[in-house]
Amino acid sequence: MASKPGPLTRWPRQGLGNYKYALVAPWAARSTYRFVTSGNEERDLLGFAVLPVLLLRLLYGQIWITVSRHQTARSKHRIVDKSLDFDQVDRERNWDDQIILTALLFYTINAVVPMAQAAPWWNSKGLVLAALLHAGPVEFLYYWFHRALHHHYLYSRYHSHHHSSIVTEPITCIYAYV
């Protein structure tokens, strides 16, 4: 947890525990219903694919966490000669919040922006479009957002817990903004 937690640090997941996945349920049900009941020409594959991609990302993250912790526990070639402590594990247990937030953003953008449904995501033009959108505005915003988090006010309220991890794991970078 940040040294001086700021507003919205624990929102909207505070108090939900493992039920935080229920935040995605209405959107997933809506997208699945629209995909199943509409004709082939009107199917929204992007909205339908968000839930399976969310589940694959969770599985992928859990696999890397397991492999990393196993390697840290048994390896003689550690970068830091220190074991993973329980404080760090507790601090990083919300690593999946970022994946849930991404899914909620995808559902919202897909519902609000009509062009998102019409974009050719599943062919070569769509892949080039996605790569350009990611390499352009997404990476640019990510870089400047991360720099802003190193400002004293934001650092102490949101980002300091990210830098307090001594034994880095694959999920150490994910919870930097949550």
Side-chain angles (χ1 to χ4, degrees):
M1 181 56 60
S3 55
K4 301 176 190 173
L8 301 180
T9 300
R10 295 183 177 118
W11 181 87
R13 67 190 186 285
Q14 181 66 22
L16 292 177
N18 286 333
Y19 295 112
K20 63 187 170 188
Y21 297 103
L23 296 171
V24 179
W27 290 96
R30 176 183 179 267
S31 294
T32 303
Y33 177 77
R34 289 182 64 200
F35 182 80
V36 171
T37 58
S38 61
N40 283 341
E41 295 297 322
E42 301 155 359
R43 284 194 170 164
D44 181 16
L45 188 58
L46 180 64
F48 180 69
V50 173
L51 182 62
V53 170
L54 165 86
L55 296 174
L56 284 173
R57 287 186 68 195
L58 290 170
L59 177 65
Y60 181 76
Q62 188 59 55
I63 288 170
W64 276 111
I65 291 167
T66 304
V67 168
S68 171
R69 289 184 180 166
H70 176 72
Q71 190 69 11
T72 300
R74 71 170 189 87
S75 179
K76 296 177 185 175
H77 307 290
R78 294 185 202 156
I79 295 173
V80 178
D81 192 25
K82 192 173 185 184
S83 62
L84 190 63
D85 63 349
F86 289 115
D87 291 336
Q88 180 177 340
V89 172
D90 289 343
R91 196 171 49 247
E92 294 178 355
R93 73 172 177 242
N94 292 326
W95 64 272
D96 53 347
D97 288 351
Q98 181 259 348
I99 297 172
I100 294 170
L101 177 63
T102 303
L104 291 173
L105 287 173
F106 264 103
Y107 280 130
T108 304
I109 289 170
N110 194 38
V112 173
V113 180
M115 288 184 350
Q117 297 173 12
W121 299 110
W122 312 108
N123 60 24
S124 58
K125 288 181 185 177
L127 290 175
V128 169
L129 177 64
L132 289 175
L133 284 173
H134 184 74
V138 171
E139 285 296 323
F140 177 79
L141 291 172
Y142 179 84
Y143 172 77
W144 285 105
F145 182 64
H146 187 244
R147 286 214 34 182
L149 284 173
H150 281 259
H151 181 271
H152 177 70
Y153 179 82
L154 295 175
Y155 184 84
S156 62
R157 285 162 179 78
Y158 298 104
H159 197 61
S160 61
H161 63 283
H162 165 70
H163 288 281
S164 63
S165 296
I166 303 299
V167 180
T168 56
E169 295 187 288
I171 58 170
T172 303
C173 69
I174 292 174
Y175 81 98
Y177 309 113
V178 186

